[in-house]
Amino acid sequence: MMDKSVVTGTQGGVRTVTLNRPDVLNAINTQMGADLLDALREAERAPEVRCVLLAAAGRGFCAGADLREQTPGETKVGELLRTRYNRIVLTLRTMEKPVIAAINGVAAGAGANMAFAADLRIASDRASFIEAFSRIGLIPDSGGTWLLPRLTGMGRALELVLFADPVDAAAAERMGLVNRVVPHDDLMPRALEWAGRLAAGPTRTYGLIKRALNRALATDLEGALEYEAHLQEIASRTGDHREGVAAFLAKRPPVYTGR
Ligand code: T3D
């Protein structure tokens, strides 16, 4: 039987979604793109999932689109992006539960931008990032044009995409591309620790937080304040808010159900 291109497992509310084409550094072919989108959408729907951890098998995180599947000039790239990559990035970005990317090695092209679409990034000291697109005469896709200037500022974003040089983990942390860099062997334990913590949190509220921050990037202060007021009404009616206040007053740790 062929190995699955994406492997999933759930423990303690954490759904781990592992890219699994290690021989090609997890380059995304048609099958893997479909499997990844399915896996993310399933994680988004599943009520028992309270945090998603995007990880990868082998020495690479993801080398972007599988270039062996492409025929430049013939492949309908716009359609491929609209039906697959854009949906993956939007699902990562908008699903109303936290998404962590654990970056074990090289992340290139769409592979880098998928990592940048996650909410938090924890990287091995062996990780690197390459906005590889311009090396092969393409523009950054999979959200790169939107995500990079927001993470690093416009000057650095342009440097990353025009030169398309590899950025090592330490430089990525300095630029704000990743939240933490850890020794390689600590990557999955540390990522699972973060994921476990978030999976025990007020999931509904985390979802509202993502909604608020995503919207805030596209609005003015007045609009953001109004949206905060609207969403806070919703958050204030959750069981987890009641639990949080009760726990504080009783001087005990809260036990959140995610609702
Ligand atoms: O056109 C569209 O579909 C639109 C969407 C575009 C989105 C994109 O992601 S465009 C960008 C595509 N990605 C790239 O251009 C990166 C290509 N890969 C590399 O530049 C290098 O592989 C890396 C810098 C990522 C890693 O280098 P290195 O030296 O550590 O490894 P390697 O030897 O190059 O790769 C190992 C194997 O993976 C190798 O196979 P082999 O020779 O052992 O049989 C290599 O061919 C394969 N591989 C790596 N990247 C891809 C790939 N195979 C297919 N597609 C890849 N993207």
Side-chain angles (χ1 to χ4, degrees):
M1 201 178 88
M2 293 245 299
D3 284 343
K4 286 185 174 174
S5 69
V6 174
V7 178
T8 60
T10 313
Q11 207 173 4
V14 177
R15 171 72 51 87
T16 303
V17 176
T18 305
L19 308 176
N20 191 38
R21 300 185 72 220
D23 294 348
V24 288
L25 307 178
N26 302 308
I28 304 169
N29 63 3
T30 305
Q31 184 66 52
M32 191 191 202
D35 291 346
L36 179 58
L37 183 57
D38 286 350
L40 294 175
R41 285 184 167 168
E42 210 283 314
E44 181 179 30
R45 280 191 306 268
E48 73 277 15
V49 174
R50 292 172 63 189
C51 180
V52 174
L53 178 57
L54 182 62
R59 74 174 173 89
F61 177 73
C62 175
D66 189 325
L67 297 176
R68 294 177 193 180
E69 257 193 358
Q70 312 278 318
T71 310
E74 285 182 27
T75 302
K76 293 200 166 64
V77 175
E79 193 177 309
L80 194 63
L81 291 174
R82 289 187 192 98
T83 56
R84 192 62 26 94
Y85 292 84
N86 294 3
R87 291 178 183 173
I88 290 170
V89 166
L90 275 176
T91 305
L92 289 167
R93 190 83 196 166
T94 61
M95 81 163 79
E96 297 215 342
K97 28 188 104 168
V99 179
I100 300 175
I103 301 122
N104 52 312
V106 65
N113 291 342
M114 254 168 26
F116 298 145
D119 300 318
L120 298 175
R121 278 161 294 286
I122 181 163
S124 149
D125 53 11
R126 292 186 202 160
S128 61
F129 298 86
I130 313 176
E131 286 293 320
F133 304 89
S134 67
R135 287 187 178 190
I136 54 169
L138 293 179
I139 70 151
D141 60 30
S142 305
T145 60
W146 193 91
L147 293 160
L148 285 168
R150 285 172 168 81
L151 285 170
T152 67
M154 189 62 95
R156 284 205 162 113
L158 279 163
E159 184 181 336
L160 291 170
V161 300
L162 293 176
F163 286 125
D165 288 332
V167 173
D168 66 21
E173 190 178 26
R174 280 199 301 278
M175 285 184 205
L177 287 171
V178 299
N179 298 83
R180 289 286 188 291
V181 177
V182 297
H184 187 72
D185 290 342
D186 293 348
L187 178 66
M188 286 313 287
R190 288 285 297 277
L192 284 163
E193 186 187 313
W194 271 15
R197 226 177 113 185
L198 290 173
T203 313
R204 183 97 202 282
T205 300
Y206 287 158
L208 297 173
I209 290 171
K210 280 183 73 164
R211 233 198 269 179
L213 284 166
N214 279 331
R215 172 78 75 94
L217 290 174
T219 186
D220 56 15
L221 176 60
E222 210 178 342
L225 288 168
E226 175 48 39
Y227 200 50
E228 285 174 4
H230 167 68
L231 293 183
Q232 197 69 297
E233 275 292 338
I234 302 173
S236 70
R237 288 166 208 272
T238 61
D240 281 342
H241 172 57
R242 280 197 300 280
E243 166 62 9
V245 173
F248 173 78
L249 295 176
K251 300 187 186 298
R252 62 168 174 81
V255 181
Y256 292 126
T257 62
R259 289 187 293 275

